[in-house]
Amino acid sequence: MEKRKIRFLGLPAFLLLACFSSSSFSQNCTSFFVPPANIDGMEITETHTGSVGTYGSAFTSCSITSAADAAWLGSSGPFSYTLHFSLPVRQITMQITATGNPGEENFTFTTNNGNPTITTTNSCYTKVEGNKIYSGLDSPGNGGGGVFIVKNSSDFTELTITGAGGLNGSLFSFCANVVKGNCNAGSAAPVFKEPRMLVGCQGPGARLSDIPAMNQPKGVELTWHTSTPATGSNLVWSERVKEGTYYAAFYDKKANCYSSATTKLEVVAASGSKVFAGEDMIVCQGTEITFNATGSQNYKWSGGAQQNVPFKPSHTTTYTVTATDENGCTSTDNIAVTVRSVPNVDAGGDKTIKKGEEVTLTAYGALIYHWDKGIKQGVAFVPEATDTYTVIGTDANGCSDEDEVTVSLEGAALSKLDEIPLENFDASLFKPVNVVFVLDISNSMGASNKLDLLKQSVGSLLDIVRPEDKISLVTYASEASVIVPSTSGSSSEEVRKKVEKLHSMGSTAGLDGIKLGFKQAKKAFIEGGTNLVIVITDGAFNEQMGDYLGVIEKYLEQEINFSVVGVKNNPKDEANMREAAEMGKGSYVPVFKAIDTKTNLVMEIKKHAFKL
């Protein structure tokens, strides 16, 4: 073909010019465009891949002459060429020249809204099927081609032409008449259900997007403008606006067009609501108060306070509440809270008297005192039984504190531990217990049923422990380890399972076990309770164990006692064990048979925990 002699080597494969038309025609286009171009306000650009370029001069085939700068597609191989339209279109007309010879060139047309239909009234050596053109087979030297109308049933903004190329390509010219898509924005002005005045608040402003239109067509947007008619240049871009006059219109994004009519809206500033925090308060330390602000919505308090949530202020301060009403208006108010200190009421120390003796209770630290159980401040009376009396003292500011004192009668019921049933471990009689068992599981404990007696001893205590008590287990053989860190008495069954799994092994690291036991007791220390380390062993405490007495004495100063349970001990070893227990203000508890495990250890714990 002649066109192959004048093409420029090295250029991309496909050169294209197009013509937009509202009807079919059988003559050449009189006006062409080359992307990028602007036709009647519509921007047209192109993107491509593969063999695409510009031919550089006019070319004629089938009595149709291409534009001088036509798109040259497929000169050296496959190509994809896409036209992009800023507005929707329905139809585009183009001239194609220099196709085929001797073979056939195939072109496929697609849009971003379905496949178009192609028609032709002036072509040669060409056939059209749906969205495909087959052109140039057995054509003379200049090839085939023709004028083609590409039309779609719905609007599109992208048209893509693809082909295999390879026959020196073809030339595409686009006509400059445009058939645009439909504008759905219409001519009606937006209609609003609410009055045509948006009440906004000074500050963040009114949110125009919160107002829906009752007659908004499908597929269009509601836009706001600073003037009329509505255009892209007078759009309101801010989410919130200040006072002023604004105009609403409908916008068809695909066709880039606005409704011809608009609706006027006046935006005025609202005065907003006023929040009231409440009256100032004077309260006593530890008194619970609740803030309940009124007059607005969405209350936020300073100082960690919350609306309608009780709390106890720790010091005198002023709290600020910030409220935001339904119009976005904010207001603030303050409330001063004065916190008075409470008196330190002292009922005096506990007393022990003989039955029938008088006693006088006198409290200190406040201005006015009120005793329970009919007792009067500074007035003698005769208690009938051991009892505890509570006094409430109030100072000049009306703040109060309370204290209690116990008056015990010598010989009163339950004053002796041995009169209390063994199974009674009631909280009214016994303090909370933090006990650490240090268990000897060395090889010697495996003989003469010693390990079973150890397990039974621990188990007897687990039968009576309470949720407020704490239990730890430390074992030692060749080395010491914690098998149960401090846990509540409510977990006694889990502890029992750990004890049942113990078996004898290894040598005896007694001092390491004692040290580790004291460390566990220190970690779980109960202030005001009983804190006790109990070693259960069949072995002797001797010089080979190191300075165990020094360790016991150190922790006694920290209010942690020490006792020893000797399981079938040799009499000659008892002396050292008793010395160690006495150093720790505890006891040496011998266990030789099963019955001992039921009573001896339990009584040791109860002795230390007994309140009276």
Side-chain angles (χ1 to χ4, degrees):
M1 292 167 52
E2 284 299 322
K3 74 176 191 303
R4 297 187 180 110
K5 296 179 181 180
I6 61 174
R7 286 177 178 173
F8 299 97
L9 296 178
L11 290 177
F14 186 16
L15 184 58
L16 178 61
L17 291 175
C19 164
F20 293 95
S21 174
S22 59
S23 62
S24 302
F25 59 92
S26 59
Q27 53 186 324
N28 296 357
C29 294
T30 58
S31 178
F32 302 102
F33 75 86
V34 178
N38 185 303
I39 299 178
D40 295 333
M42 178 170 62
E43 298 293 333
I44 305 174
T45 59
E46 65 87 11
T47 58
H48 63 265
T49 59
S51 182
V52 175
T54 302
Y55 187 63
S57 61
F59 190 89
T60 302
S61 62
C62 293
S63 301
I64 298 170
T65 302
S66 70
D69 50 359
W72 188 7
L73 310 184
S75 66
S76 60
F79 65 90
S80 175
Y81 186 91
T82 300
L83 291 172
H84 304 274
F85 308 95
S86 63
L87 299 178
V89 299
R90 288 290 180 94
Q91 180 177 304
I92 180 172
T93 303
M94 64 188 69
Q95 295 179 175
I96 306 177
T97 58
T99 63
N101 185 18
E104 183 177 66
E105 293 189 71
N106 305 329
F107 312 107
T108 300
F109 294 76
T110 58
T111 77
N112 61 336
N113 200 10
N115 293 332
T117 300
I118 303 173
T119 59
T120 180
T121 57
N122 181 16
S123 61
C124 63
Y125 301 100
T126 299
K127 64 179 179 178
V128 176
E129 294 180 358
N131 65 328
K132 298 180 183 293
I133 296 175
Y134 304 88
S135 184
L137 182 64
D138 297 329
S139 61
N142 284 353
V147 179
F148 302 92
I149 301 170
V150 180
K151 187 175 182 180
N152 205 36
S153 59
S154 56
D155 295 347
F156 62 89
T157 55
E158 292 181 359
L159 174 66
T160 300
I161 308 168
T162 58
L167 294 176
N168 285 329
S170 300
L171 307 181
F172 283 67
S173 305
F174 297 98
C175 299
N177 297 327
V178 176
V179 176
K180 295 182 179 179
N182 297 324
C183 180
N184 295 320
S187 58
V191 177
F192 301 108
K193 182 178 180 180
E194 300 295 330
R196 294 182 180 182
M197 183 172 291
L198 177 66
V199 179
C201 188
Q202 292 282 18
R207 193 198 307 269
L208 296 175
S209 58
D210 288 343
I211 309 176
M214 298 174 60
N215 62 332
Q216 185 168 339
K218 291 184 178 180
V220 303
E221 301 174 4
L222 179 65
T223 56
W224 293 90
H225 304 262
T226 56
S227 60
T228 190
T231 66
S233 60
N234 59 16
L235 269 172
V236 175
W237 294 102
S238 300
E239 181 181 2
R240 291 184 179 271
V241 297
K242 304 292 185 181
E243 294 178 85
T245 301
Y246 301 91
Y247 301 86
F250 293 126
Y251 173 61
D252 184 345
K253 187 175 182 179
K254 288 186 176 180
N256 192 27
C257 58
Y258 297 90
S259 58
S260 56
T262 59
T263 298
K264 182 179 178 180
L265 184 70
E266 296 289 341
V267 176
V268 296
S271 58
S273 56
K274 178 62 177 176
V275 63
F276 174 61
E279 300 293 343
D280 293 343
M281 300 181 184
I282 299 177
V283 298
C284 299
Q285 186 83 39
T287 301
E288 192 171 74
I289 64 173
T290 302
F291 288 155
N292 181 24
T294 58
S296 189
Q297 298 91 32
N298 303 313
Y299 304 98
K300 292 186 177 180
W301 289 87
S302 65
Q306 299 182 54
Q307 177 80 348
N308 291 325
V309 177
F311 74 104
K312 296 177 181 179
S314 60
H315 58 281
T316 297
T317 190
T318 297
Y319 295 86
T320 300
V321 61
T322 302
T324 305
D325 67 16
E326 59 187 1
N327 294 319
C329 301
T330 60
S331 58
T332 61
D333 194 19
N334 299 323
I335 183 171
V337 178
T338 302
V339 179
R340 303 286 194 193
S341 60
V342 298
N344 184 19
V345 173
D346 182 6
D350 294 341
K351 306 177 186 295
T352 301
I353 63 174
K354 294 180 180 180
K355 191 170 185 178
E357 259 186 356
E358 285 188 340
V359 66
T360 301
L361 299 182
T362 304
Y364 304 91
L367 182 64
I368 301 172
Y369 303 92
H370 177 76
W371 289 86
D372 67 352
K373 301 174 182 177
I375 307 304
K376 293 183 179 180
Q377 171 84 352
V379 177
F381 68 100
V382 178
E384 295 181 356
T386 296
D387 207 346
T388 299
Y389 302 90
T390 301
V391 61
I392 298 175
T394 305
D395 64 12
N397 294 319
C399 297
S400 60
D401 184 28
E402 66 178 53
D403 195 18
E404 62 181 28
V405 60
T406 299
V407 178
S408 302
L409 301 187
E410 293 181 355
L414 297 181
S415 63
K416 295 182 180 180
L417 180 59
D418 55 10
E419 297 177 6
I420 303 173
L422 183 67
E423 66 277 6
N424 187 341
F425 202 41
D426 189 84
S428 64
L429 299 173
F430 298 96
K431 296 180 287 186
V433 172
N434 166 35
V435 60
V436 180
F437 289 108
V438 179
L439 307 178
D440 180 358
I441 58 170
S442 61
N443 282 329
S444 63
M445 289 293 290
S448 303
N449 203 31
K450 295 177 184 178
L451 193 59
D452 289 338
L453 292 175
L454 177 150
K455 294 178 180 179
Q456 292 170 19
S457 296
V458 177
S460 64
L461 180 64
L462 295 177
D463 290 337
I464 67 168
V465 291
R466 304 154 299 180
E468 61 266 31
D469 299 325
K470 297 180 181 180
I471 308 167
S472 306
L473 293 184
V474 172
T475 61
Y476 68 89
S478 299
E479 57 184 25
S481 61
V482 178
I483 64 169
V484 177
S486 181
T487 187
S488 166
S490 59
S491 302
S492 60
E493 289 308 310
E494 287 75 9
V495 177
R496 194 189 305 274
K497 291 176 183 178
K498 291 280 189 178
V499 173
E500 290 301 324
K501 293 180 180 179
L502 294 176
H503 60 276
S504 59
M505 60 180 177
S507 57
T508 306
L511 181 58
D512 291 341
I514 292 173
K515 288 180 178 179
L516 188 55
F518 275 118
K519 288 181 180 178
Q520 291 299 304
K522 184 65 176 177
K523 287 182 181 179
F525 190 86
I526 298 177
E527 195 70 39
T530 296
N531 298 276
L532 181 62
V533 173
I534 299 178
V535 175
I536 304 180
T537 179
D538 69 335
F541 287 1
N542 49 45
E543 295 179 358
Q544 283 71 33
M545 283 186 58
D547 186 17
Y548 61 89
L549 292 177
V551 174
I552 296 170
E553 184 178 19
K554 169 187 173 183
Y555 283 96
L556 179 63
E557 294 173 357
Q558 301 177 42
E559 300 183 3
I560 301 175
N561 297 99
F562 179 81
S563 292
V564 181
V565 175
V567 181
K568 293 187 177 182
N569 283 128
N570 190 309
K572 67 178 182 180
D573 295 328
E574 284 190 15
N576 289 338
M577 292 186 177
R578 289 185 184 278
E579 181 185 16
E582 290 173 2
M583 174 65 74
K585 299 298 182 183
S587 302
Y588 169 73
V589 181
V591 171
F592 288 94
K593 51 188 180 298
I595 189 61
D596 296 337
T597 68
K598 299 292 185 183
T599 58
N600 294 7
L601 184 58
V602 172
M603 287 303 296
E604 174 66 9
I605 296 293
K606 293 177 70 173
K607 182 181 70 174
H608 284 278
F610 191 43
K611 290 183 177 180
L612 300 181

